[in-house]
Amino acid sequence: MTGHSFPGRLIVVEGIDGSGKSTQIELLENYLRIKGFGVLRNAWNSSQEISPIIKKAKKKQLLTPYGFSLLHAADFSYRYTHEIIPALSSGKIVLSDRYVYTAIARDAARGIPREWLVNNFRFAIRPDLTFFFRVDPATAYDRITQVRDIKYYEAGLDMELSMNPRESYILFQSRVLEGYESLAREHGFSVLDGSRPVEETQKIIRRVVNPLIQSLL
Amino acid sequence: MQGRRIVRRESGGVEKTSQYPGTLIAIEGTDGSGKTTQSELLKLFFESRGQGVVLSPCNTAELIRGAISKLKERNTLDPVTFCFLYAADFVDRFEHVIIPALASGKVVIAEQYVYTVFARAMIRGIDREWIRKMFDFALTPARTFYLDVRFEDLLNRIQWKSRDERYFDYYEAGMDLNLANRKKDSFVIYQKRLIEIYREMAAENHFEVVDAMKPIQVQQQELRQAIAQILRNRNRRKGKVV
């Protein structure tokens, strides 16, 4: 991973589902737009071209860890080439809801060697800022299940850690969290407590983002 | 149904010999080199001898293939995504077809293995080490045969001179690389370079080179003899009575 010289800036939020990162990124988007910045927000596994294949494959529950990883990598690199890089070139602030760290933490939790993952994502630029939302898996589970059911792969049911979805989710996502924690240390993420009130966390985020955007004004 | 998991290895290098009882044979070559014809004849041969055999053609994962074609048509497939999609397609075939067949002791004839993806990636400017590492989960075949066609012979074989522009395939002509305006001209530049890359890989990885301009039956004899030898050696190593 290398730095970049684009006129825009790349801000990433990372963390497991239910950590509150999507709420925060929406608030940040508004904040930046009001300040007059062009913003592109993009989400993990969202390309119109490749994401539908992943969803179909997931439905069949036929994806092995490597298949899962490579398809998500394809979705990411497609969005990277066609959305993220053009937006950065045109001077926008890109808010990325998950980035390559998601793939590295999650796929390593499925037993894939980390060096392999790091090599695959070598092409991606280093973000200007990465926020990591730390939350314990049990809390995340309870938050998610208030709104929807837990999904098969999200619960890590393909790993056969437990037959009980909640137990499996907690075991699997704990592994993912370990991956995030080591990435956070290595890459100097700004770590946020996902259990704090929304306003409080947003304040902290703005305080960290301000110096970055001041340099652009 | 659960997918099989790939056996993890200690080192990052490509495995030399498979731990499975079956034997993996790869057939590589450019478009029009006769891979399909030779692979199918090999399959017949093994079947007629009562040897379990699985032919693994390059297009098994319908789902991913469909996406690749769609993106190609729209000309929005960048080289990095190209590699990931081909790798996803390959891993599907590898884990769901090749590994189970090897595990049950069959001979697997893989028509286009990883090297075709490498060649197509490298010609699109992809770093060789990057793509090699991406595929380092794959087993190295017991032997890889390369059906070699001289570039001039390829042009003759497809009747390049008289062939109409519209009969050239967009991707077989490498049109996404903007080498020339006409498919016919682009084909010449693209396929020539592709053959060079294949030959470099063949030399470096010690492929067994088969002259694809020889009569079909002669090539087939060479392949059968070479593979029979491999099977004999493997059986001897495993202490089986041949």
Side-chain angles (χ1 to χ4, degrees), chain A residues 12-29:
Chain A
V12 169
V13 296
E14 283 285 1
I16 63 178
D17 276 343
S19 63
K21 60 183 168 24
S22 303
T23 310
Q24 293 296 338
I25 210 172
E26 277 172 39
L27 291 169
L28 182 61
E29 182 182 7

Side-chain angles (χ1 to χ4, degrees), chain A residues 52-54 56-57 60 71, chain B residues 60-68:
Chain A
I53 312 171
I54 301 179
K56 264 186 221 163
K60 290 186 187 163
L71 279 178
Chain B
T60 42
E62 290 303 323
L63 207 59
I64 303 167
R65 280 285 142 168
I68 295 176

Side-chain angles (χ1 to χ4, degrees), chain A residues 48-50 53-54 56-57 60-68 70-71 73-75 77-79 81-82 110-113 116 119-123 152 157-160, chain B residues 1-6 8-9 63-64 67-68 70-71 74-78 80-85 87-88 91-92 95-96 127 129-137:
Chain A
Q48 280 180 23
E49 290 72 15
I50 297 159
I53 312 171
I54 301 179
K56 264 186 221 163
K60 290 186 187 163
Q61 301 183 356
L62 258 173
L63 282 175
T64 60
Y66 277 87
F68 185 95
L70 288 164
L71 279 178
D75 176 79
S77 77
Y78 194 84
R79 286 184 296 107
T81 308
H82 297 281
R110 287 201 156 80
I112 293 184
W116 185 78
N119 175 68
N120 283 355
F121 291 108
R122 217 172 67 187
F123 65 91
Y152 181 81
L157 283 164
D158 59 317
M159 299 300 294
E160 296 168 3
Chain B
M1 212 180 93
Q2 280 301 122
R4 269 176 173 274
R5 244 163 254 137
I6 289 176
R8 284 181 67 182
R9 280 168 288 119
L63 207 59
I64 303 167
I68 295 176
K70 210 158 82 186
L71 292 173
R74 282 197 261 155
N75 204 9
T76 58
L77 191 53
D78 59 280
V80 174
T81 309
F82 178 98
C83 291
F84 284 131
L85 284 176
V91 86
D92 185 81
E95 296 185 300
H96 294 124
D127 175 64
E129 277 313 299
W130 183 72
I131 183 97
R132 265 176 195 252
K133 282 187 186 158
M134 188 188 295
F135 279 83
D136 79 356
F137 58 81

Side-chain angles (χ1 to χ4, degrees), chain A residues 42-54:
Chain A
N42 79 95
W44 192 249
N45 190 13
S46 67
S47 76
Q48 280 180 23
E49 290 72 15
I50 297 159
S51 172
I53 312 171
I54 301 179

Side-chain angles (χ1 to χ4, degrees), chain A residues 160-204:
Chain A
E160 296 168 3
L161 302 167
S162 164
M163 297 293 278
N164 177 308
R166 186 170 192 272
E167 234 174 73
S168 175
Y169 178 89
I170 291 170
L171 286 170
F172 178 64
Q173 294 294 342
S174 299
R175 286 192 192 177
V176 176
L177 271 177
E178 275 171 39
Y180 272 133
E181 295 287 355
S182 93
L183 287 166
R185 284 191 297 273
E186 194 180 324
H187 296 275
F189 296 168
S190 300
V191 183
L192 299 164
D193 182 347
S195 63
R196 302 299 303 166
V198 172
E199 297 76 16
E200 191 185 312
T201 302
Q202 183 62 204
K203 253 188 211 156
I204 300 171

